[in-house]
Amino acid sequence: MCKVVYCLVLLTYLRFCDAKNNGTFPSNFLFGVATSSFQIEGAWNEDGKGESMWDEYSHRVPSPINNNDTADIACDSYHKYKEDVKLLADLGADFYRFSISWPRILPTGYTDNINQKGIQYYQNLVREILKYNMIPVATLYHWELPQTLVAAKLDWTNPDLIDIFVNYTRVVIQNIPDVGFWITVNEPRQICHQGYGEGTLAPGGLNSGVDDYQCDYIVLKAHAKVYHMYKEEFPHYQAKMSLTIDCEWYQPLTNSKEDIDAARRYIDFECGMYSYPIYHGDWPPIVKERVKLRSGLQGYNRSRLPEFTPEEINYIKGTSDLYLLNIYFAYLAKDVPEAPSNVTSCQSDIRAELIQFPGISVGVNGFPIVPWSIENMLKFIKDEYKDPEILITEIGTSEDGSSLEDDMRIDYFEKTLYAVLEAMYNYNVKVIGVTVWSLLDNLEWTTGYTARFGLYHVNFSHPNRTRTPKKSVNYYKHVATTKRLLSAENGSNFNSISGFMTIILLFTILWNSFM
């Protein structure tokens, strides 16, 4: 067995000695920074803005947000957007990914009440971005459903919301024509499974295995209808459009077939739920198989997973101009026994347990920091989803904000970006850009202001919401402007670093196999 391990390690080392990765990105590679409207804008009830689902959620008593935090003021970017765009320009960013607040545009959710001040705000924001020769990347839905629609039960489990959403997006696109990329929906899995299944995000629904699947079905159909509307009604617009999918990497705990299958199930139930219908049509086969099996065990006369009609399959398939990826963490996956038949949940449908990698650091929000995993995910997307062009729309890690010396974040960025280059150099993955989450410390949903993802520290106790650059600002500016990693400038041996990281992974897998 020692000889086998020795040979595997040697082959790994030789592979990386021959690697082409020199820490340099293509000259046309795009570096950007992201935010979302609810998390930074504030001005929650100013200038005609309506209440959003997250406004209502954060104002509940008792509060579901850490420390009773709200986004009523947040970073006050509604009033400080020019300052924020200047920070982006100073970073050397190629693009700014922001989102549109639906109730700021349509206070009641409907087009019979258009808030011109809301439209003017986003027009001014786009104009400011263009002034610095940056590309505006706009997300049409980053979780801000108008509360009036929620109150009327016109939420993401109701098919009637589809046309209402399309009408909203049409108003935005008509009035903000200079966007460089359109994102229809951000992270449908979080919207559906955390919002309607596990109750950890607004609106706090707790019907896993039923309402979350209905939400998946509605969101995909809504995305597809917006995509077709955009292509048919705005053929003179050149911006590419897609939805952002959050995909995390799941590595088998051992090399057993059972654990390999468990890891694949997790990926298909998370990433594949949205990627497979768009690139191949219909749900992933294992998802259909598992939900049908579990539904039968529970006495249902049909699967809890809504069935696409042939027309819907064809309508959804191909509704993506590029693959938009959010990725933050990775876990080891282990096969587990079938849950009792009286348990109805997405988790029991997946039938797998997640285990943290040994020796891995964890961010303040609980995300394990596994930078190399992005290479695996990028190669998976290339192989499984027709080798698409990929824009990474979010990477990031959080700290507690106690220091501006965020060396942990710099280390994460350096290793993550290196892993992106590995995917590009070794597997010819077509990555065109990467986006850091986020520009500013902001309200991180239910963790409130305790988890700080920002390049810039924000003083939330000061009325001016003062922005102060962290150490990572200079790091990201260097990478964005030179297209080179810091280690490349310092002459570090990239092959040795990558080989060492891979050997650690190999050792972990082998060790777990023998346990």
Side-chain angles (χ1 to χ4, degrees):
M1 182 55 67
C2 290
K3 289 182 178 179
V4 173
V5 174
Y6 172 79
C7 290
L8 287 170
V9 170
L10 179 61
L11 287 171
T12 300
Y13 175 76
L14 291 173
R15 171 188 172 237
F16 283 97
C17 283
D18 191 45
K20 298 174 289 184
N21 188 350
N22 62 2
T24 303
F25 290 88
S27 59
N28 62 347
F29 193 88
L30 300 172
F31 286 95
V33 184
T35 63
S36 88
S37 48
F38 176 77
Q39 293 175 271
I40 70 165
E41 283 180 4
W44 79 280
N45 59 356
E46 291 184 36
D47 288 345
K49 177 184 173 294
E51 185 181 27
S52 77
M53 173 172 67
W54 269 93
D55 290 324
E56 186 277 332
Y57 191 67
S58 65
H59 292 152
R60 290 181 187 178
V61 178
S63 174
I65 314 295
N66 277 0
N67 301 320
N68 299 315
D69 289 336
T70 73
D72 293 359
I73 302 174
C75 305
D76 199 26
S77 290
Y78 184 75
H79 301 109
K80 296 169 71 71
Y81 72 91
K82 289 187 177 182
E83 177 182 338
D84 292 341
V85 174
K86 180 63 166 56
L87 294 178
L88 284 157
D90 291 343
L91 272 172
D94 297 303
F95 66 90
Y96 179 29
R97 182 192 167 197
F98 62 97
S99 72
I100 312 288
S101 171
W102 185 345
R104 196 177 293 284
I105 300 292
L106 306 178
T108 64
Y110 293 99
T111 56
D112 60 353
N113 180 12
I114 299 175
N115 180 22
Q116 292 300 325
K117 288 185 177 180
I119 288 175
Q120 187 64 54
Y121 170 72
Y122 292 110
Q123 288 175 337
N124 291 341
L125 175 60
V126 168
R127 191 176 300 117
E128 197 71 14
I129 296 167
L130 293 172
K131 184 175 82 173
Y132 293 100
N133 297 314
M134 292 184 292
I135 302 167
V137 178
T139 304
L140 290 160
Y141 185 78
H142 200 130
W143 307 1
E144 287 192 82
L145 191 61
Q147 180 60 23
T148 51
L149 298 179
V150 178
K153 301 192 182 306
L154 288 165
D155 63 9
W156 288 108
T157 63
N158 189 334
D160 291 342
L161 184 65
I162 294 172
D163 286 336
I164 299 171
F165 179 59
V166 172
N167 292 338
Y168 151 67
T169 61
R170 181 184 291 108
V171 169
V172 174
I173 293 168
Q174 284 173 336
N175 284 279
I176 313 175
D178 296 321
V179 167
F181 293 90
W182 286 109
I183 301 172
T184 55
V185 176
N186 179 73
E187 296 184 346
R189 176 165 184 81
Q190 302 302 317
I191 295 167
C192 296
H193 291 262
Q194 306 306 316
Y196 294 92
E198 298 179 21
T200 54
L201 296 176
L206 289 165
N207 197 11
S208 181
V210 180
D211 284 354
D212 43 7
Y213 292 149
Q214 173 69 4
C215 173
D216 291 332
Y217 176 68
I218 299 300
V219 167
L220 279 166
K221 294 207 297 181
H223 154 76
K225 195 157 189 177
V226 170
Y227 183 90
H228 286 292
M229 177 274 292
Y230 176 63
K231 299 299 181 180
E232 292 164 7
E233 298 182 19
F234 301 91
H236 51 296
Y237 285 14
Q238 298 300 310
K240 293 182 177 182
M241 177 180 280
S242 190
L243 81 169
T244 286
I245 302 173
D246 57 310
C247 297
E248 314 304 343
W249 180 249
Y250 299 107
Q251 187 85 22
L253 176 65
T254 72
N255 62 356
S256 69
K257 182 182 185 303
E258 291 77 12
D259 287 352
I260 291 171
D261 290 347
R264 179 58 192 254
R265 285 197 299 274
Y266 238 109
I267 292 174
D268 278 348
F269 266 87
E270 293 199 353
C271 185
M273 286 288 285
Y274 317 100
S275 306
Y276 205 92
I278 288 173
Y279 285 94
H280 299 295
D282 211 346
W283 305 112
I286 190 60
V287 172
K288 294 178 66 175
E289 177 186 319
R290 285 290 306 161
V291 181
K292 183 178 180 181
L293 171 67
R294 291 290 303 171
S295 299
L297 292 175
Q298 293 152 356
Y300 287 83
N301 56 15
R302 63 177 182 176
S303 176
R304 288 178 276 102
L305 183 68
E307 183 178 353
F308 289 118
T309 66
E311 293 76 19
E312 289 171 341
I313 289 172
N314 291 330
Y315 193 72
I316 294 169
K317 186 177 179 180
T319 55
S320 177
D321 296 326
L322 74 169
Y323 197 104
L324 303 178
L325 170 68
N326 288 1
I327 180 167
Y328 283 94
F329 55 83
Y331 279 97
L332 294 164
K334 176 186 177 182
D335 185 58
V336 295
E338 198 73 63
S341 60
N342 63 347
V343 176
T344 300
S345 68
C346 178
Q347 188 62 46
S348 62
D349 292 338
I350 298 173
R351 208 193 81 208
E353 177 187 349
L354 296 182
I355 299 170
Q356 188 170 303
F357 283 90
I360 294 297
S361 300
V362 177
V364 171
N365 66 335
F367 289 174
I369 302 170
V370 193
W372 56 261
S373 63
I374 195 170
E375 178 186 356
N376 298 26
M377 194 72 249
L378 290 169
K379 184 179 184 300
F380 180 87
I381 292 169
K382 172 189 172 70
D383 294 342
E384 294 291 325
Y385 305 125
K386 302 184 178 181
D387 193 16
E389 194 173 64
I390 301 171
L391 175 62
I392 300 167
T393 38
E394 286 182 31
I395 59 167
T397 190
S398 61
E399 28 80 29
D400 61 9
S402 60
S403 173
L404 299 176
E405 302 291 315
D406 56 342
D407 292 296
M408 175 269 288
R409 178 174 287 108
I410 293 172
D411 181 68
Y412 163 84
F413 284 152
E414 182 79 359
K415 291 176 179 176
T416 301
L417 293 172
Y418 179 80
V420 171
L421 282 172
E422 284 289 271
M424 295 169 67
Y425 279 106
N426 294 329
Y427 305 113
N428 296 313
V429 182
K430 299 171 185 173
V431 185
I432 65 168
V434 67
T435 319
V436 163
W437 183 271
S438 80
L439 178 66
L440 306 169
D441 290 339
N442 54 54
L443 185 126
E444 281 298 331
W445 309 109
T446 54
T447 59
Y449 297 108
T450 59
R452 305 294 189 102
F453 278 85
L455 293 167
Y456 285 86
H457 175 275
V458 177
N459 184 348
F460 293 104
S461 63
H462 194 283
N464 194 43
R465 295 302 195 266
T466 308
R467 283 89 158 116
T468 305
K470 300 177 187 177
K471 189 175 179 180
S472 55
V473 164
N474 285 334
Y475 169 82
Y476 196 58
K477 181 175 183 177
H478 166 85
V479 175
T481 55
T482 67
K483 312 294 185 185
R484 284 175 64 81
L485 297 181
L486 194 61
S487 302
E489 299 294 336
N490 294 338
S492 296
N493 188 333
F494 275 89
N495 296 330
S496 297
I497 295 170
S498 180
F500 179 69
M501 292 169 63
T502 305
I503 288 168
I504 290 176
L505 170 61
L506 178 61
F507 177 79
T508 300
I509 295 171
L510 289 169
W511 179 263
N512 287 321
S513 297
F514 300 146
M515 291 297 287

